[in-house]
Amino acid sequence: AQTVTQSQPEMSVQEAETVTLSCTYDTSESDYYLFWYKQPPSRQMILVIRQEAYKQQNATENRFSVNFQKAAKSFSLKISDSQLGDAAMYFCAYRSADAGNMLTFGGGTRLMVKP
Amino acid sequence: DTEVTQTPKHLVMGMTNKKSLKCEQHMGHRAMYWYKQKAKKPPELMFVYSYEKLSINESVPSRFSPECPNSSLLNLHLHALQPEDSALYLCASSRGSQGPGNTIYFGEGSWLTVV
């Protein structure tokens, strides 16, 4: 079974600064997808970014980018120019390419943004 | 703006009540999901419907009864719940249930309190 670990329960960042959230996962599969979801106080889970394991290029979405290290099974999220609206719980998630569309979530990292 | 709509946003029910949570999506997705989320925890998968058929039931107690009347609608019928069932219930959908590109999109959730 796959496991996803987020080792930082809480992080804080100054507005306009850069922060990196860590995620590691354990799998024996070679084909899979990785996601970062954001859950603000409104509680809706919002997709931030997605990475296909077969792609070597790191995904980027505006201020959000990932550092995907397949051999190390690491998938960190970098948020540049942090904004107050970035404050939220961030969940890293894994999905196998074969075993249906089931997400395995990490425990989450609460990000606080200081003005 | 979410394209997965859940109603009601908040629900308080007694342990002898029967109530339902409703979820609707108009993205043409053929897979729909129910997740349960306790405070400060990641979402836990409850049910998966694929092409209106129940494909995954994660050993959920029978007091939770899902229903998928058509490809756009997903209900969760609640009966004889316990206080420990109080949680955020998230509905989600994806284009399909397998293969690449089937990113899961979440609704805003329904807060359930059992008294």
Side-chain angles (χ1 to χ4, degrees):
Chain A
Q2 295 81 25
T3 58
V4 178
T5 302
Q6 293 179 246
S7 59
Q8 306 148 319
E10 283 191 0
M11 293 280 287
S12 68
V13 63
Q14 205 71 35
E15 197 175 4
E17 305 263 306
T18 295
V19 65
T20 299
L21 308 184
S22 301
C23 173
T24 57
Y25 57 95
D26 188 24
T27 184
S28 58
E29 298 173 328
S30 59
D31 196 11
Y32 50 87
Y33 306 91
L34 297 165
F35 305 86
W36 279 99
Y37 282 91
K38 166 186 176 181
Q39 190 175 39
S42 67
R43 303 299 286 179
Q44 184 187 359
M45 294 280 285
I46 301 166
L47 178 67
V48 175
I49 201 163
R50 183 181 97 167
Q51 176 79 43
E52 290 88 349
Y54 61 84
K55 289 188 178 178
Q56 292 188 341
Q57 186 173 8
N58 290 325
T60 300
E61 286 288 341
N62 300 315
R63 298 183 294 108
F64 299 87
S65 61
V66 298
N67 183 3
F68 173 48
Q69 302 287 328
K70 190 171 183 180
K73 295 179 184 173
S74 170
F75 182 62
S76 60
L77 175 69
K78 185 171 86 170
I79 306 174
S80 304
D81 185 26
S82 297
Q83 300 175 359
L84 294 177
D86 295 332
M89 279 290 287
Y90 285 81
F91 291 99
C92 179
Y94 170 102
R95 176 171 81 80
S96 169
D98 296 327
N101 211 12
M102 295 175 62
L103 288 172
T104 301
F105 286 94
T109 296
R110 178 169 300 283
L111 178 67
M112 294 170 284
V113 181
K114 299 177 182 177
Chain B
D1 287 339
T2 179
E3 295 189 69
V4 179
T5 304
Q6 292 186 242
T7 56
K9 295 274 190 290
H10 298 272
L11 177 63
V12 179
M13 62 184 289
M15 290 188 284
T16 58
N17 290 159
K18 284 185 181 180
K19 297 284 184 183
S20 297
L21 304 180
K22 297 185 184 301
C23 176
E24 190 169 5
Q25 59 86 15
H26 294 289
M27 295 180 281
H29 287 175
R30 302 312 299 269
M32 296 186 76
Y33 311 78
W34 281 114
Y35 283 82
K36 174 183 177 180
Q37 187 179 22
K38 301 286 276 185
K40 299 184 180 180
K41 296 290 186 183
E44 298 175 353
L45 182 65
M46 299 175 74
F47 302 105
V48 180
Y49 272 84
S50 179
Y51 291 84
E52 295 129 65
K53 287 185 170 43
L54 183 64
S55 60
I56 294 175
N57 176 341
E58 290 289 290
S59 303
V60 179
S62 60
R63 58 186 184 268
F64 295 92
S65 175
E67 178 197 18
C68 189
N70 59 56
S71 59
S72 300
L73 294 173
L74 184 66
N75 298 322
L76 186 62
H77 302 298
L78 315 169
H79 174 55
L81 295 194
Q82 303 297 310
E84 58 264 29
D85 296 322
S86 299
L88 180 71
Y89 287 84
L90 292 164
C91 176
S93 71
S94 64
R95 195 169 67 224
S97 60
Q98 286 192 339
N102 284 317
T103 299
I104 294 176
Y105 297 94
F106 288 84
E108 293 183 353
S110 293
W111 279 105
L112 173 66
T113 303
V114 182
V115 298

